[in-house]
Amino acid sequence: MNINEGISAIAKQLYQEILTRGTVNDKVDKKKVRIAITEEKLSMLKSDQTECLQILDILDIITKHCLTDHSIRFDDNASELTCYRKFAKVLDKILDNTMLDILDGERVFNKASKTVVKNLEKIYNNKVMTVSMDWTGTIGYMFAVKPLNDVFVTRTLYTLTIPIYIDELPSFIDTLDHLYSWRNYHALIKDIVLEAFSKREKERFFYSSMLGSSTTATTGGSTSPNVYLTPT
């Protein structure tokens, strides 16, 4: 089961170039990586390469908190809130200029995903799936819930990780790619749902006017679909 494409080839190349400039004697050097990020930001600030600037910002957020020595033990007991805050900052960057929001503190399980699927199906009048994430500390996974006849099928799509140590930065590109894929999918669904919702509202208004009574349902606030983040 595939969803949308993730980050662009240019952004992937930039990520690799930053790590190459920050590598000394085959080891990723935290200070040099941050210097390379800063230098590249200065050269790109006047450009329109929004995604590349996002990648640099995200890489800076992640690198700043990475440990440099595996002999330094990661504090598991104090990590949950720290990981959540760091990951929320990453998502803020990824969702910038998309009109998608994070609702902090919301816990969404498979049951909630099924409800979202049902609501989307009513609005869009078609079979759609939800793509969600669940995280425990620095490890998470992305999963999809899709209707199939009269049941709902859940499938794990990707494993996600946030680097703890600086030498884990090279593999973070895979998680970053999946997160952009998740974003792009929700941006697509947002456009489809809003278009379908607008069409239904016009039909309801037309029929209520013809019948002489209001049958228009209230939306109870914003009609824009929300993005839910499960921190644990």
Side-chain angles (χ1 to χ4, degrees), residues 142-155:
M142 191 177 294
F143 64 96
V145 178
K146 187 174 184 178
L148 180 63
N149 298 326
D150 58 345
V151 299
F152 292 87
V153 178
T154 301
R155 180 175 178 179

Side-chain angles (χ1 to χ4, degrees), residues 82-97:
T82 300
C83 291
Y84 168 69
R85 286 173 175 169
K86 181 165 59 175
F87 183 63
K89 289 180 181 179
V90 171
L91 283 188
D92 280 339
K93 293 294 181 182
I94 291 175
L95 297 178
D96 191 28
N97 296 323

Side-chain angles (χ1 to χ4, degrees), residues 1 110 113-122 124-131 144-155 185:
M1 185 184 294
N110 284 350
S113 295
K114 293 175 186 177
T115 302
V116 173
V117 170
K118 288 180 179 178
N119 290 337
L120 289 177
E121 193 173 347
K122 289 178 182 177
Y124 182 43
N125 196 29
N126 205 337
K127 299 293 184 182
V128 295
M129 68 177 181
T130 61
V131 180
V145 178
K146 187 174 184 178
L148 180 63
N149 298 326
D150 58 345
V151 299
F152 292 87
V153 178
T154 301
R155 180 175 178 179
Y185 177 76

Side-chain angles (χ1 to χ4, degrees), residues 99-117:
M99 296 186 69
L100 296 172
D101 298 321
I102 305 171
L103 297 185
D104 294 331
E106 292 288 342
R107 299 176 62 85
V108 180
F109 301 95
N110 284 350
K111 183 178 179 180
S113 295
K114 293 175 186 177
T115 302
V116 173
V117 170

Side-chain angles (χ1 to χ4, degrees), residues 3-220:
I3 54 177
N4 293 55
E5 292 184 0
I7 60 178
S8 65
I10 294 175
K12 287 182 180 179
Q13 183 179 355
L14 173 63
Y15 188 99
Q16 187 56 53
E17 287 177 357
I18 294 296
L19 291 186
T20 300
R21 288 161 59 181
T23 299
V24 180
N25 296 327
D26 296 327
K27 290 185 179 181
V28 180
D29 184 283
K30 181 175 181 177
K31 183 177 180 180
K32 289 190 176 297
V33 168
R34 298 198 69 192
I35 290 174
I37 292 170
T38 303
E39 290 175 345
E40 198 63 36
K41 275 186 183 181
L42 289 173
S43 66
M44 279 194 175
L45 281 176
K46 293 183 179 180
S47 72
D48 295 324
Q49 300 183 57
T50 304
E51 187 180 83
C52 287
L53 284 170
Q54 285 179 346
I55 295 298
L56 292 172
D57 286 337
I58 293 168
L59 190 52
D60 194 31
I61 291 170
I62 296 297
T63 303
K64 181 179 179 180
H65 296 282
C66 280
L67 300 175
T68 58
D69 190 343
H70 279 269
S71 64
I72 304 173
R73 192 176 182 278
F74 185 61
D75 188 356
D76 294 326
N77 295 326
S79 67
E80 200 67 38
L81 185 56
T82 300
C83 291
Y84 168 69
R85 286 173 175 169
K86 181 165 59 175
F87 183 63
K89 289 180 181 179
V90 171
L91 283 188
D92 280 339
K93 293 294 181 182
I94 291 175
L95 297 178
D96 191 28
N97 296 323
T98 64
M99 296 186 69
L100 296 172
D101 298 321
I102 305 171
L103 297 185
D104 294 331
E106 292 288 342
R107 299 176 62 85
V108 180
F109 301 95
N110 284 350
K111 183 178 179 180
S113 295
K114 293 175 186 177
T115 302
V116 173
V117 170
K118 288 180 179 178
N119 290 337
L120 289 177
E121 193 173 347
K122 289 178 182 177
I123 295 173
Y124 182 43
N125 196 29
N126 205 337
K127 299 293 184 182
V128 295
M129 68 177 181
T130 61
V131 180
S132 308
M133 289 182 284
D134 195 13
W135 287 81
T136 301
T138 60
I139 304 295
Y141 66 96
M142 191 177 294
F143 64 96
V145 178
K146 187 174 184 178
L148 180 63
N149 298 326
D150 58 345
V151 299
F152 292 87
V153 178
T154 301
R155 180 175 178 179
T156 300
L157 300 176
Y158 311 113
T159 300
L160 310 169
T161 61
I162 298 294
I164 297 175
Y165 297 97
I166 196 70
D167 59 4
E168 295 172 349
L169 281 181
S171 61
F172 179 60
I173 186 65
D174 294 328
T175 291
L176 199 54
D177 190 36
H178 299 327
L179 292 177
Y180 269 85
S181 179
W182 170 86
R183 182 203 70 174
N184 294 340
Y185 177 76
H186 280 88
L188 175 65
I189 290 296
K190 178 200 69 175
D191 293 339
I192 291 174
V193 170
L194 289 181
E195 182 180 349
F197 185 86
S198 177
K199 182 179 179 181
R200 285 195 62 183
E201 286 299 292
K202 289 178 181 178
E203 290 174 350
R204 286 181 179 180
F205 178 78
F206 173 77
Y207 286 120
S208 66
S209 299
M210 291 293 292
L211 294 173
S213 62
S214 176
T215 58
T216 303
T218 59
T219 59

